[in-house]
Amino acid sequence: MSGHGDPVPMTARKGGALKGVADVPGDKSISHRSLILGALSVGETRIAGLLEGQDVLDTARAMQAFGAEVIHEGEGAWRVHGVGVGGFGEPEDVIDCGNSGTGVRLIMGAMATTPITATFTGDASLRKRPMARVTDPLALFGTQAVGRAGGRLPMTLVGAADPLPVRYTLPVPSAQVKSAVLLAGLNAPGETVVIEAEATRDHTERMLAGFGAEVSTEVTEEGRVITLRGRPELRPQDIVVPRDPSSAAFPVCAALITEGSDVLVPNIGLNPTRAGLFTTLREMGAVLTYENEREEGGEPVADLRARFSPDMKGIDVPPERAASMIDEYPILSVVAACAEGRTVMRGVKELRVKESDRIAAMADGLRACGVTVEDGPDWWIVEGRGPGGVPGGATCATHLDHRIAMSFLCLGLASQKPVGVDDAGPIVTSFPIFESLMRGLGAHLDRANRT
Ligand code: S3P
């Protein structure tokens, strides 16, 4: 599969229970950060369990372009020889971040306070996404950016030669923006402070501390105040990347909606800034248990066991939970369609600026499959049709968005008629083994349009 090549049509159809063990790949957010922080350290960082999805491979290539040595040793095993904070060299060519908003925004932050110039681009999806949310705070350090209208890629950044430290309150709940500011703050003197009203994923803060930076988080009336002391010498690390809860979401949810299913998804990180979907599913009545709960590398981890759950009911998802499950609303809407009653999702404006407009993409496809969906600028409501009640029988557009593709393929496993997607190619960006893993559980997936 290729995110950039010819479209890969795929169809999913009902074919019995899903059973077995689903070993999902490494966490995408932590994989990007492992490569970038490894490149900003002095010495050799070793990484095990790196997600070898296209997004992360694009970040690995970018780190090489900025002067780090990045060596692929074997499955998931990588070594990075970093150049140190402020040590990035100027890339000889344009940096292509493919489909990855995380990749491009974090890398922009990482180079923003080094006096070099770099031009960034990406695929048709990434070139539509807003970059001003990152270049605005980077300008406070003294970084210049010139891009297309509306702050779109391709875009050239000129790193600040004499950066100033920054105090910045996030106008949108975004871990990517928070991380870009913190990474830029690494090469600024003094203290850089980021304030977030809503807690977003905190991998950058945790990992910066692990690499030896002085970083602290204080919870105040303004929200979480994160303070980083600039110009540390980052010490290389041995990193074991935990498995991705956002990828686990697909086999878990497919099992919940497919009759007779019983699937174990081992070793999933349950960091509270990421685990909102699982809390929501349990509130809906999902038979989803956490087994073998433990701590690994300072993070809560468990084996998730998901069984067919015919008694799930729609709920109002609390808006303050949105950031902790922002990537999981597409697959939640599929579960909601198979539950009884309505599921209300509010405070989710950010879904409109992801790899696609995820509210529009899911609403269109669900409606084509016979599900009633209402939507507004920052909310949507899915009317459940009950277990086995979704008619299906449509081909859904994925708009270069991996999570839209995987969500509709999961729906097809539980709907009356097959559900197809026009292009499953983008799945390779985050979950390259999705097709084989789901087939291994018993899913009927065809590489053709058969709706
Ligand atoms: C990510 C942050 C989230 C998320 C993305 C990964 C990260 O984006 O949607 O898939 O690794 O920091 P925002 O920070 O823009 O919400």
Side-chain angles (χ1 to χ4, degrees):
M1 289 195 280
S2 154
H4 296 111
D6 291 336
V8 182
M10 199 175 283
T11 307
R13 68 186 158 83
K14 212 171 184 163
L18 303 176
K19 299 254 179 183
V21 177
D23 282 318
V24 304
D27 189 273
K28 181 152 72 74
S29 294
I30 295 175
S31 294
H32 282 296
R33 287 159 173 81
S34 300
L35 292 166
I36 295 169
L37 290 175
L40 291 170
S41 309
V42 179
E44 182 180 283
T45 286
R46 287 183 297 189
I47 311 169
L50 190 87
L51 167 64
E52 290 171 358
Q54 192 55 47
D55 280 9
V56 176
L57 298 178
D58 288 338
T59 289
R61 205 158 19 85
M63 290 303 97
Q64 282 174 319
F66 282 101
E69 203 184 331
V70 182
I71 303 145
H72 185 200
E73 301 237 277
E75 212 188 309
W78 292 67
R79 279 188 292 136
V80 182
H81 285 267
V83 291
V85 167
F88 273 5
E90 190 162 274
E92 282 179 19
D93 204 346
V94 173
I95 302 294
D96 186 347
C97 290
N99 191 252
S100 181
T102 308
V104 75
R105 292 182 176 131
L106 267 56
I107 297 167
M108 281 179 170
M111 58 89 33
T113 47
T114 301
I116 54 173
T117 296
T119 300
F120 296 88
T121 193
D123 71 4
S125 154
L126 193 58
R127 291 195 307 271
K128 285 189 201 148
R129 297 180 66 186
M131 295 299 143
R133 54 175 54 202
V134 170
T135 54
D136 285 353
L138 295 182
L140 305 174
F141 288 97
T143 312
Q144 296 169 49
V146 183
R148 287 164 59 231
R152 305 295 200 260
L153 300 177
M155 185 171 265
T156 297
L157 262 64
V158 182
D162 286 309
L164 301 165
V166 158
R167 184 179 177 89
Y168 190 68
T169 302
L170 294 183
V172 285
S174 168
Q176 293 176 359
V177 178
K178 171 176 66 176
S179 302
V181 175
L182 290 173
L183 292 172
L186 280 175
N187 199 34
E191 286 186 341
T192 286
V193 179
V194 187
I195 301 156
E196 57 179 5
E198 290 169 51
T200 65
R201 65 191 69 194
D202 60 359
H203 305 302
T204 302
E205 299 91 298
R206 284 175 187 251
M207 293 178 73
L208 276 169
F211 274 84
E214 225 182 281
V215 61
S216 63
T217 301
E218 211 190 328
V219 181
T220 70
E221 273 179 9
E222 281 177 292
R224 284 155 47 103
V225 180
I226 302 138
T227 306
L228 171 77
R229 175 151 295 283
R231 309 239 159 109
E233 184 172 308
L234 297 183
R235 292 187 300 265
Q237 297 297 298
D238 280 355
I239 299 172
V240 179
V241 179
R243 292 182 182 177
D244 199 325
S246 299
S247 296
F250 295 101
V252 162
C253 291
L256 298 178
I257 61 174
T258 306
E259 210 174 325
S261 297
D262 187 349
V263 168
L264 188 72
V265 192
N267 296 327
I268 301 304
L270 292 175
N271 176 320
T273 62
R274 295 289 297 281
L277 172 75
F278 305 124
T279 307
T280 302
L281 293 170
R282 283 163 37 134
E283 285 174 7
M284 292 173 79
V287 187
L288 172 63
T289 50
Y290 299 167
E291 303 190 347
N292 196 11
E293 284 183 70
R294 59 206 183 269
E295 281 233 338
E296 268 174 27
E299 299 263 359
V301 171
D303 305 336
L304 305 183
R305 183 168 178 197
R307 279 169 274 188
F308 175 54
S309 302
D311 297 324
M312 287 189 290
K313 308 264 180 298
I315 62 164
D316 279 22
V317 183
E320 61 277 10
R321 192 180 291 160
S324 70
M325 53 180 288
I326 195 67
D327 290 337
E328 282 67 73
Y329 282 93
I331 188 63
L332 175 66
S333 71
V334 166
V335 174
C338 300
E340 299 282 359
R342 49 176 21 203
T343 294
V344 181
M345 296 166 278
R346 294 193 194 280
V348 290
K349 183 165 81 212
E350 280 296 298
L351 291 179
R352 297 222 179 254
V353 290
K354 294 293 177 189
E355 285 82 332
S356 67
D357 174 342
R358 285 183 169 162
I359 298 179
M362 288 309 298
D364 287 350
L366 285 170
R367 285 178 189 132
C369 290
V371 179
T372 302
V373 182
E374 283 175 67
D375 73 294
D378 70 342
W379 59 270
W380 47 323
I381 297 172
V382 175
E383 297 286 349
R385 296 192 57 107
V390 175
T395 299
C396 305
T398 57
H399 303 282
L400 286 178
D401 189 329
H402 52 133
R403 298 197 204 283
I404 302 299
M406 290 187 278
S407 297
F408 283 122
L409 291 170
C410 289
L411 180 64
L413 302 176
S415 53
Q416 292 155 6
K417 292 197 197 129
V419 173
V421 294
D422 61 346
D423 186 11
I427 293 173
V428 78
T429 60
S430 70
F431 198 163
I433 59 164
F434 173 81
E435 188 182 350
S436 58
L437 179 144
M438 294 302 291
R439 281 213 179 105
L441 298 175
H444 288 253
L445 297 176
D446 284 329
R447 279 199 177 214
N449 192 343
R450 296 199 200 284
T451 51

